[in-house]
């Protein structure tokens, strides 16, 4: 399914987005105005809805972030992930890898491509799906929260096993869209907040424990090097 201005998604998400065609068009107009004003908008247009290339019936774990990385070349359409060639890694991702090591003893790779998680059914979704370069939070309250809220409600309504990992206040606000879903929440992994509850939160092992309790296959969180 093609979403004009935002790329192609799996058709299983159509029921969530079809009622929001006008809202998506409004966001597209806003983004066009940003670019016309000379601002760089991240990620590139065909990656904005990249997370939704994962079919909805394959989603087992949801990781919600705030908005895309504001550093040019970092945002790739999957929350917290970057392309394999990005160096140095974003500091939030470095902290995620540190917690992954502390939690499960996994030695993280040198790259920051988390698509192997997505391939196993981990939906990597930001609360806002675009951002002005070098200006985090700059596209809040422009309509994305309505879109992602509808996506989360559609996901929760499947009545399938699901664990939601919510990092940071923006992500935790999305809990209201996830009735009946098992939730693991903590501070955001950014350098400003990681020591206030992210480190030591053990989200990866806890998510797998919950999945096993739901008779669902756990995630292999180890990423190939």
């Amino acid at each position: 399914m093609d979403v004009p201005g935002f790329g192609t998604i799996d058709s299983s998400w159509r029921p969530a987005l079809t009622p929001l065609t006008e809202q998506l068009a409004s966001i597209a107009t806003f983004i066009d105005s940003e670019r016309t004003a000379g601002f760089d908008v991240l990620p590139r247009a065909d990656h904005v809805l990249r997370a939704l290339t994962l079919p909805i019936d394959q989603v087992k774990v949801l990781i919600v972030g705030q908005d895309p990385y504001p550093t040019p070349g970092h945002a790739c359409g999957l929350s917290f992930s970057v392309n394999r060639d990005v160096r140095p890694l974003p500091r939030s991702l470095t902290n995620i890898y540190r917690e992954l090591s502390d939690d499960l003893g996994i030695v993280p790779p040198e790259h920051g491509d988390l698509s192997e998680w997505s391939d196993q059914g981990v939906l990597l979704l930001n609360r806002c799906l675009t951002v002005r370069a070098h200006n985090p939070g700059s596209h809040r309250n422009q309509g994305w929260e309505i879109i992602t809220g509808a996506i989360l409600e559609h996901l929760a309504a499947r009545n399938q096993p699901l664990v939601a990992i919510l990092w940071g206040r923006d992500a935790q606000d999305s809990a209201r869209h996830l009735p009946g879903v098992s939730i693991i929440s903590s501070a955001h992994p950014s350098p400003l907040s990681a020591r206030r509850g992210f480190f030591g939160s053990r989200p990866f092992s806890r998510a797998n424990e919950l999945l096993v309790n739901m008779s669902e296959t756990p995630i292999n969180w180890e990423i190939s090097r």
Side-chain angles (χ1 to χ4, degrees):
M1 172 185 173
D2 183 62
V3 181
F6 300 120
T8 300
I9 66 173
D10 189 83
S11 60
S12 58
W13 298 101
R14 183 192 300 270
L17 296 185
T18 297
L20 299 170
T21 300
E22 291 186 6
Q23 187 69 55
L24 284 165
S26 176
I27 296 172
T29 298
F30 164 72
I31 291 173
D32 286 343
S33 71
E34 288 276 89
R35 293 192 172 114
T36 299
F39 297 113
D40 188 11
V41 175
L42 308 174
R44 74 188 203 201
D46 63 334
H47 277 179
V48 171
L49 291 175
R50 180 184 173 191
L52 301 188
T53 59
L54 175 64
I56 190 171
D57 63 355
Q58 294 181 18
V59 179
K60 298 189 293 186
V61 176
L62 165 71
I63 296 181
V64 181
Q66 294 178 178
D67 54 1
Y69 292 124
T71 302
H74 283 193
C76 67
L78 302 177
S79 63
F80 300 105
S81 182
V82 293
N83 292 327
R84 292 179 74 93
D85 60 348
V86 170
R87 300 290 189 281
L89 298 183
R91 294 176 69 187
S92 291
L93 182 53
T94 299
N95 287 338
I96 290 169
Y97 279 171
R98 172 179 164 180
E99 181 61 21
L100 180 64
S101 176
D102 291 346
D103 185 7
L104 294 174
I106 291 174
V107 177
E110 294 182 359
H111 66 81
D113 181 2
L114 304 180
S115 59
E116 289 183 32
W117 291 356
S118 181
D119 292 342
Q120 295 182 72
V122 180
L123 181 64
L124 300 167
L125 187 72
N126 281 311
R127 198 72 169 96
C128 292
L129 300 183
T130 58
V131 69
R132 185 187 294 177
H134 308 295
N135 194 346
S138 51
H139 285 186
R140 287 176 179 162
N141 303 317
Q142 297 296 333
W144 278 129
E145 294 89 347
I146 295 172
I147 301 297
T148 53
I151 290 168
L152 297 181
E153 289 172 6
H154 184 53
L155 180 62
R158 302 171 313 161
N159 195 28
Q160 292 179 220
L162 178 64
V163 177
I165 300 175
L166 310 180
W167 289 332
R169 291 180 183 175
D170 289 72
Q172 289 164 18
D173 176 67
S174 66
R176 59 196 172 93
H177 300 294
L178 297 166
V181 173
S182 296
I183 290 175
I184 298 169
S185 63
S186 74
H188 194 274
S190 76
L192 297 176
S193 57
R195 296 184 183 280
R196 297 201 296 266
F198 175 75
F199 290 137
S201 61
R202 300 177 51 249
F204 309 103
S205 62
R206 290 167 64 195
N208 277 353
E209 289 168 6
L210 288 167
L211 288 174
V212 169
N213 289 340
M214 298 174 193
S215 300
E216 183 59 77
T217 304
I219 301 297
N220 177 10
W221 295 103
E222 186 168 5
I223 299 170
S224 60
R225 304 180 71 80

